Amino acid sequence: MNKNSVKNEQIAGLNHINIIENINDIMPAEIIFFFINLEDNNAVEMLNKLKSSFHGTLCIIPENLKTLLSEENPIDLSGLNIINFPELTFTPFTELLPGKYIGHKKTHEIINLLKEIGYNTVLIKNVSGINVLDRFQANFFSSGIQLINNGFDKKTIDGVLKFRFGFTHGIFQLMDVFGIDKVFGRYASLGLNIPDIPENMYNAYHHNKDMINGFRNYIDRTSLIPEDDIYDINPYDVISPVINLASFLVKYVKPADLDMFLKQDYGSQKGIFSMADSIGINNIVENLDKNYKKYRLNLYKPCGKLLKMVNKKNLGTLTGTGFYKYNPEIMDFGPVKYRSVDNYAHILMDRPETLNALNDQMWEGLRLALERANSDDNVLSIIITGSGRAFSSGDDIRMMENWQDSIDASLWLDHYANPLIDEINSTNKPIISIVDGIAFGGGCELNMLFDIVIASDRSVFSVPEGLIGALPPIASSHGISLMGRRLFRYLLTSEWINARTARDIGIVDLVVPAEQLPFMIYEFTEKIRRNSPMSIKNTKKIINEYKIKFRDLERLAGNYLAINASSQDFKNAQRAFINKEKIKWRGK
């Protein structure tokens, strides 16, 4: 440290402040060493004044240790004020790095002092000058810039963070508020490579250091609105590099502190590590590995901790252990697997060898699983998926082949189908289906009863019951009531429906690439979690009352299905389907 670079100066009316300039190993910006008497009653007032006017690196040092500040004896207790922008953040953060001359007691006196004036404090350990939160922010910026280089728009990237992650602001909005020149100045001070940026963005940075234009030309976060193209970006591409760095930084900072930083600085409901557990450590590593092989950037190189977690099967909520431990409730209802964790229930149809065909046990298992989820106060939403390459191929033909007449079909409706339909239409928790692959017949029709349907772009839907001499009772009643005549064509032709057409006619709400489906579970369970449980419950009651209005029509459709089941055409069709023969219709 060069003593000549230290000059005494009064800032914001405060005495005992020294400004250190041009210290390249920290940052090429001003650093304030604040010598303070911790027993002074005016200390809180003094720091409050500084808090309102300063953003940078603030080193708080007990005044009695001032004589130790020299080139030979530097004080390395640093309070690093990373963010103090009332336009975007809730609470300013300070980073404290205890050095060998500051004991445990003094460190915690300073932490308490900072807490009293409204700072959240992150305590750094085992290293000198790591600037943890700066590096954390830098990875957010780097992932955003890399997405721009991949052809995505800045507004779209910010929209992903605000509308899919639920953050209060986006990456480029934050960069504008920071000051683009300061952002890249910090890259240099941390020894990080400044990411390659398009020339037009560099010119904006180079010529607009006063932040007049910057990347986006906004401070007001209300300027962002949700657009469909936010689902073109894989959210793992945005968050995985940040989780990767955070996993490396746990050797220097408590996980709870980084969780607190993301929640309070970005307005996230979850911290970075609890989010990682929810979206799956395995999915994060898979995304990082894919991008590292493609771009060869250290940004994407999986850190050792994540790799060890995957090898040990510590994958997060999926396995019950990740960065944190969980206690999931796991139950089997025949071919239906039930798992409740993290305020939602996951119901899995697990007959992959039959493309999750709906036999008696599947219908009953779905009903029992929904009953369990509906009775659990900890469950706020319900996810339904199918294993393998199908959501469900529909009713099991071998089950239907056993119907001898309309009485058998009516009994099946009374014992299996109708009770499940009634349970779906009375459940007071939002039901979200995640469809990847085939959703035919009953598998397609059940989705017409669910609250939110999200499908991969490779999914395909159909109501082909007419091809086996049956008819679709749910689609021809509830389906028509919700979607109208747009459904007529597919009821009468048994045509296949691609995912985007299914969205257009109202079967599906959102279509995304298959690689995003694990994140969709996190995204929508979190979106529901943000709402008042009582509001959700009563809204569901209203929705269910609307559905119940069409119960008589649905039962009538079931009666017609039973009539069909007694026909010769129905019996011939079941047999022909099983034997893979061509069906000859007789009309009776």
Side-chain angles (χ1 to χ4, degrees), residues 41 43-45 47-48 51 109-121:
N41 293 331
V44 171
E45 180 181 354
L47 282 174
N48 256 325
K51 170 187 171 185
E109 284 180 7
I110 294 174
I111 290 175
N112 291 334
L113 184 62
L114 291 167
K115 183 178 180 180
E116 189 171 345
I117 65 170
Y119 277 89
N120 283 315
T121 303

Side-chain angles (χ1 to χ4, degrees), residues 236 240 276-290 302 306-307 309-311 313-319 321 323 518:
Y236 287 102
S240 291
D277 283 348
S278 295
I279 65 178
I281 307 301
N282 54 321
N283 296 319
I284 294 162
V285 170
E286 182 180 335
N287 175 266
L288 289 168
D289 190 56
K290 178 196 70 175
L306 288 179
L307 294 173
M309 292 176 74
V310 171
N311 289 335
K313 306 297 183 185
N314 295 334
L315 307 181
T317 57
L318 178 66
T319 57
T321 303
F323 288 101

Side-chain angles (χ1 to χ4, degrees), residues 380-400:
L380 301 179
S381 57
I382 301 166
I383 298 292
I384 298 183
T385 62
S387 63
R389 59 189 181 91
F391 180 79
S392 172
S393 57
D395 289 316
D396 194 321
I397 301 298
R398 294 190 181 278
M399 172 193 74
M400 298 171 70

Side-chain angles (χ1 to χ4, degrees), residues 9 19 116 175 351 463 530 586:
E9 190 168 303
I19 300 178
E116 189 171 345
M175 290 182 81
R351 294 185 71 205
V463 278
R530 292 179 207 140
R586 300 180 182 275

